[in-house]
Amino acid sequence: MNGLLTFLPIILMIVLFYFLLIRPQQKRQKEVANMQNSLAKGDKIITIGGLHGVVDAIEDSIVILKCGNAKLTFDRNAIRTVLEKGSTVAAEPATPKATEEVSEDATEENK
């Protein structure tokens, strides 16, 4: 019994390190791996170097990014964040008809 009490603080420290350090790091690694594996053409991304670009093509472990007029080749592991998925539809601006109606009403009032 006395021997177990001697090792109890060490065992508690190991359990504490597991739940506070090791387990969250493993979760982050899984999330990053899932994000990098789910890359698709048209995704807006940021690399680990801070470069913003759009995915132009994906091969096994290589991603070709379009940045302005340039195309750059990066390793898939160099992708840090996906800002927007390429397949999502952007919100449409206000319909032109609504603005035309307002402008027609305004012009009629001005007459």
Side-chain angles (χ1 to χ4, degrees):
M1 184 70 180
N2 204 10
L4 182 64
L5 289 176
T6 314
F7 290 113
L8 187 62
I10 295 172
I11 294 170
L12 287 176
M13 282 183 13
I14 292 171
V15 169
L16 188 67
F17 275 123
Y18 176 76
F19 283 108
L20 293 179
L21 297 174
I22 298 169
R23 191 165 176 235
Q25 180 64 28
Q26 288 175 341
K27 282 185 178 182
R28 274 185 248 125
Q29 286 176 339
K30 285 181 184 178
E31 289 173 3
V32 168
N34 288 338
M35 180 268 303
Q36 290 174 347
N37 289 331
S38 68
L39 286 174
K41 185 176 179 177
D43 290 352
K44 293 182 181 179
I45 57 97
I46 300 176
T47 66
I48 57 175
L51 179 77
H52 292 244
V54 177
V55 176
D56 190 50
I58 300 175
E59 297 172 9
D60 296 327
S61 65
I62 296 173
V63 177
I64 299 172
L65 300 179
K66 187 173 184 183
C67 303
N69 294 331
K71 289 188 179 180
L72 305 169
T73 304
F74 283 90
D75 191 49
R76 189 183 288 246
N77 294 329
I79 307 301
R80 181 182 67 191
T81 308
V82 175
L83 297 176
E84 292 180 22
K85 295 300 280 180
S87 61
T88 58
V89 178
E92 295 181 17
T95 59
K97 291 182 179 180
T99 57
E100 288 174 5
E101 291 173 4
V102 171
S103 60
E104 288 175 5
D105 292 338
T107 55
E108 288 176 9
E109 290 175 4
N110 291 338
K111 291 181 181 178

